[in-house]
Amino acid sequence: MRHLPTRTTRTSGRTVIGALAAGLLCAAGATAPAVADSPTTAPAAAISPQSDNGLALTPPMGFNNWNSTHCRAEFNEAMVKGIADIFVEKGLKEAGYQYVNLDDCWAKPQRNADGKLEADPVRFPNGIKAVADYVHSKGLKLGIYTSAGTKTCDSVGLPGALGHEYSDAQQFADWGVDYLKYDNCNNQGVDAKKRYTTMREALEATGRPIVYSICEWGQNKPWEWAADVGNLWRTTGDISDSWGSMLSIMKQNLPLAAAAGPGHWNDPDMLEVGNGGMTDTEYRTHFSMWSVMAAPLLIGSDLRKATPETFEILSNREVIAVDQDPLGKQGAVVSSTGGRWVVAKEMEDGSRVVALFNETGSAQRISTTAKEVGLPEADAYTTRDLWQHTTYNTAGGISATVPAHGTVLLRVAADSKWAAYPPAVELGLNGSPLVEAGRSAPLTTTVTDLGRTPAKSVSATLTGPSGWQIEALSPTGTDAVPTGRALTTRWQVTPPAGTATGTYDLKLSAQYRSPTGTHVRSSVPFQAHVVVAPPAGNSYLSDLPQLSASNGWGPVEKDTSNGESKAGDGNPMTIGGTVFAKGLGVHADSAVEFYTGGACSAVTAQVGVDDETGTNGTVSFEIWADGTKVASTGVLTNAMAAQPITADVSGAQVVRLVVTDGGDGINYDHADWANLRIGC
Ligand code: GLA
């Protein structure tokens, strides 16, 4: 995962895998407790590792405590029962959520005299069976956790199931467990396929249907072999409650679409929706994309404290239906350029769910067609917005201006009843305005008819913060807009003199009627940035205001390395033994934007992986001038000294500094933009 000084016990537990390899296989055997069982003690009945357990025909849905509690004391019987109650009371059970899963730290540190696992007596004073009975009494199912290693992942070192597979599986079955998450820590270098297959056979030998969730973090490419072993397999390291983490995990999981299907799913880790580290727009994106990827939907927030918005997101039946579609296809990427993603999922009824997903920090037009997403040719289609819960007709165009970090989720069908619905219109903007206080910036908006039918009595409205002057320089209304045509309006936007730099919310709205008289109102929020031109001469970018910033772990740090969680928790930036006083400390995947207003010429820096990650971490650095990549380093490792990077940014309005993960996931990717300067 990441590298935090306070968690070295855990991280070192994980890095053991490659380093120890075969030598420790023997050691593990030699030190195995006397009560350990092994495949040889298994019942003699032939168990086919190829057979299908018939479970998880759609991706599992439920709850797991890890993302909200880790091992903190509030993970206990009261919490688990409380979640089960809420599943029933708030309609989540009705909506499909079924499994209530316990993660790490439910167990006592020692097995009992019979070699059996026991529940932590403080957290679960009545034992696991009592919890299972309670959960079952609500018509729900119970999940549990252990590791395919000698100990689980928590630094306390709770017992793992390696060498105890058959008795632990039987123990779980006796308690009434319905789901097992089987982790990867302290695995003693034993071959992953072997470890996970043994547990699969042990589960099967119990005769109890138990969903089997493989959690080896994608280290051994489980998408290539685990369909015959488990019902789902993690494809990545751990998610955290940040935009950068969610994004990076999504990007690792998207290309694996072909491996998923009923009974065997890619698992990009559990949901963070509601945990507070992302905006509701970002959580809607998270939930939309997990559903389009046919990912397990395991709620990771403490629902006893959740906001109405969290419930609204997690209970969206139309989005859940995308995830749970019986055809079981994972959506695939149709296109992705400049952070504008089109991902389409084929549904059992022949429709396609199309996610128009905006990775960038400003509103973007994202566009595709019915043909591109695989729909048959037709005069027109219906297109249903799964967050707005509204249906329109389209002549084939599928496009929208998508707010920063947002996702427009549409279910598009070649449906003969299309004429019953008003035409879809697309609200368009030419970019997100960058404007200096007291000065005017131009903005052009469009209201385009995507429908087969005309839009009547069309009007456009633009609103902004109080005190801002927003003036239309051309007509804001027209009698009718036919298929493929647009109402185009030119505006002038002026923030009052003295407005502080920062982002400000504006909204473009359109109103129109369908030929049959239905009134439609739609709108798109976007942001204007009040900016100041950088000073003439040479400046450190860490001293200038940022237009936007996203980061894999924690915030982007000024003049220190990245400490992974709170602002100001970094160390002096150090690359290859050299300490740098100025720069930006980031964590892949990261992007930081600066307004340069066409007035700057060059960006220079010394870049590399910070020494604090030990021997780990690979990243690559890129500098973008407006939409063009103007410099990049290729992959840099922790072993390398700081490398110079220089980019010509002449004429650019915006400079974007990007760090990617070097192709191997974001673990340990602490990247320093040291000595980062701009000449203007
Ligand atoms: C690993 C897993 C997580 C969680 C923790 C528990 O990091 O990947 O999902 O189960 O262990 O310690």
Side-chain angles (χ1 to χ4, degrees):
M1 324 301 64
R2 47 189 190 160
H3 180 278
L4 258 186
T6 52
R7 291 182 44 170
T8 34
T9 335
R10 288 198 43 194
T11 36
S12 58
R14 289 150 201 251
T15 50
V16 117
I17 298 140
L20 299 186
L24 268 199
L25 263 166
C26 314
T31 57
V35 288
D37 54 15
S38 75
T40 52
T41 64
I47 296 153
S48 158
Q50 305 299 320
S51 67
D52 188 337
N53 66 6
L55 300 172
L57 297 180
T58 62
M61 289 177 66
F63 168 85
N64 174 300
N65 65 285
W66 181 254
N67 286 349
S68 71
T69 66
H70 286 205
C71 289
R72 288 191 302 275
E74 73 241 40
F75 168 47
N76 59 19
E77 181 179 308
M79 176 189 208
V80 177
K81 287 181 163 178
I83 298 293
D85 294 345
I86 290 173
F87 268 17
V88 176
E89 284 157 20
K90 294 273 195 171
L92 291 165
K93 177 186 167 192
E94 266 297 300
Y97 294 95
Q98 191 182 16
Y99 293 95
V100 181
N101 294 351
L102 319 184
D103 209 280
D104 202 354
C105 298
W106 62 267
K108 238 186 181 168
Q110 303 317 334
R111 291 171 179 275
N112 71 15
D114 302 327
K116 296 277 193 185
L117 297 167
E118 288 183 346
D120 178 318
V122 176
R123 295 178 196 271
F124 296 101
N126 302 301
I128 301 301
K129 172 91 170 55
V131 179
D133 289 347
Y134 186 85
V135 168
H136 291 153
S137 76
K138 300 268 159 176
L140 299 165
K141 294 186 186 307
L142 186 85
I144 209 160
Y145 162 102
T146 189
S147 182
T150 47
K151 289 182 157 111
T152 69
C153 293
D154 183 65
S155 53
V156 171
L158 301 170
L162 189 66
H164 297 261
E165 291 87 350
Y166 282 84
S167 79
D168 287 354
Q170 191 56 53
Q171 175 77 79
F172 298 148
D174 292 345
W175 283 337
V177 164
D178 308 293
Y179 183 116
L180 173 66
K181 170 175 171 180
Y182 200 35
D183 212 337
N184 195 30
C185 289
N186 305 301
N187 62 46
Q188 310 303 325
V190 181
D191 174 70
K193 192 168 175 185
K194 180 159 177 273
R195 283 181 291 125
Y196 286 97
T197 301
T198 305
M199 180 53 90
R200 183 228 157 80
E201 292 170 351
L203 290 172
E204 210 164 57
T206 69
R208 185 177 174 86
I210 298 178
V211 169
Y212 183 28
S213 157
I214 293 175
C215 178
E216 58 73 86
W217 317 317
Q219 283 186 336
N220 305 278
K221 300 196 172 151
W223 46 90
E224 290 177 358
W225 52 265
D228 295 330
V229 181
N231 297 111
L232 59 157
W233 51 84
R234 281 271 297 275
T235 54
T236 71
D238 288 7
I239 195 169
S240 70
D241 187 21
S242 75
W243 170 254
S245 163
M246 191 274 290
L247 187 63
S248 138
I249 283 184
M250 187 194 96
K251 288 182 184 176
Q252 293 170 66
N253 196 62
L254 275 169
L256 307 174
H264 51 96
W265 309 101
N266 290 313
D267 173 5
D269 209 356
M270 303 172 290
L271 298 171
E272 292 284 6
V273 176
N275 281 333
M278 290 183 246
T279 64
D280 286 334
T281 298
E282 292 169 342
Y283 283 139
R284 255 178 246 118
T285 284
H286 180 18
F287 197 67
S288 300
M289 296 309 294
W290 260 234
S291 295
V292 166
M293 295 192 297
L297 297 180
L298 293 171
I299 296 170
S301 66
D302 187 344
L303 294 174
R304 296 171 302 169
K305 303 177 201 153
T307 62
E309 290 75 25
T310 296
F311 280 108
E312 192 254 324
I313 295 170
L314 295 170
S315 315
N316 186 329
R317 301 268 189 126
E318 294 198 78
V319 180
I320 292 171
V322 176
D323 184 76
Q324 294 291 302
D325 185 68
L327 187 63
K329 289 234 174 164
Q330 176 173 331
V333 177
V334 175
S335 63
S336 105
T337 27
R340 297 181 302 274
W341 296 76
V342 178
V343 182
K345 182 181 200 283
E346 182 182 351
M347 302 287 279
E348 194 185 40
D349 67 1
S351 66
R352 295 293 187 282
V353 171
V354 183
L356 305 175
F357 158 57
N358 179 5
E359 173 185 347
T360 77
S362 57
Q364 299 284 340
R365 174 171 194 258
I366 306 181
S367 157
T368 183
T369 63
K371 188 173 176 198
E372 274 172 9
V373 301
L375 284 163
E377 198 153 328
D379 278 351
Y381 305 81
T382 54
T383 173
R384 175 136 181 107
D385 186 314
L386 303 185
W387 288 106
Q388 302 294 329
H389 308 294
T390 45
T391 309
Y392 305 95
N393 79 72
T394 169
I398 303 171
S399 65
T401 294
V402 184
H405 293 186
T407 297
V408 169
L409 197 63
L410 303 168
R411 184 161 179 169
V412 188
D415 177 344
S416 57
K417 295 194 208 65
W418 59 265
Y421 301 98
V425 301
E426 179 199 343
L427 305 189
L429 301 162
N430 66 333
S432 69
L434 302 171
V435 55
E436 295 177 25
R439 318 258 306 247
S440 298
L443 179 69
T444 302
T445 64
T446 50
V447 180
T448 307
D449 183 7
L450 301 175
R452 179 55 73 204
T453 51
K456 302 275 182 75
S457 310
V458 182
S459 65
T461 327
L462 189 62
T463 52
S466 77
W468 286 45
Q469 256 184 28
I470 296 179
E471 205 185 326
L473 305 178
S474 67
T476 59
T478 181
D479 286 348
V481 177
T483 302
R485 305 293 290 274
L487 163 67
T488 301
T489 310
R490 287 180 298 107
W491 310 81
Q492 190 167 275
V493 177
T494 319
T499 307
T501 57
T503 54
Y504 292 84
D505 293 328
L506 283 80
K507 189 161 82 174
L508 170 64
S509 308
Q511 289 197 62
Y512 60 100
R513 276 193 295 109
S514 75
T516 57
T518 313
H519 280 271
V520 182
R521 199 186 156 85
S522 70
S523 61
V524 58
F526 65 101
Q527 291 179 319
H529 298 268
V530 174
V531 290
V532 282
N538 257 310
S539 308
Y540 286 111
L541 276 169
S542 53
D543 297 336
L544 299 184
Q546 298 166 10
L547 258 189
S548 72
S550 71
N551 210 36
W553 284 92
V556 168
E557 296 289 353
K558 294 178 183 172
D559 305 329
T560 70
S561 68
N562 176 274
E564 297 192 357
S565 37
K566 292 186 180 51
D569 62 359
N571 296 308
M573 261 185 282
T574 315
I575 310 170
T578 307
V579 179
F580 297 87
K582 297 295 288 180
L584 293 177
V586 305
H587 193 300
D589 288 330
S590 169
V592 190
E593 288 182 326
F594 293 89
Y595 174 67
T596 45
C600 302
S601 51
V603 172
T604 56
Q606 300 278 107
V607 296
V609 180
D610 195 280
D611 288 1
E612 69 196 347
T613 65
T615 55
N616 300 291
T618 58
V619 298
S620 71
F621 292 77
E622 299 169 1
I623 300 176
W624 293 67
D626 293 332
T628 311
K629 196 197 292 183
V630 287
S632 60
T633 57
V635 177
L636 303 184
T637 71
N638 187 284
M640 297 161 84
Q643 308 286 310
I645 183 169
T646 304
D648 179 355
V649 297
S650 308
Q653 291 298 311
V654 174
V655 165
R656 184 175 167 88
L657 306 178
V658 173
V659 173
T660 65
D661 66 7
D664 60 354
I666 68 168
N667 296 350
Y668 302 101
D669 285 349
H670 292 213
D672 293 338
W673 292 93
N675 228 340
L676 173 65
R677 278 188 283 202
I678 190 157
C680 303

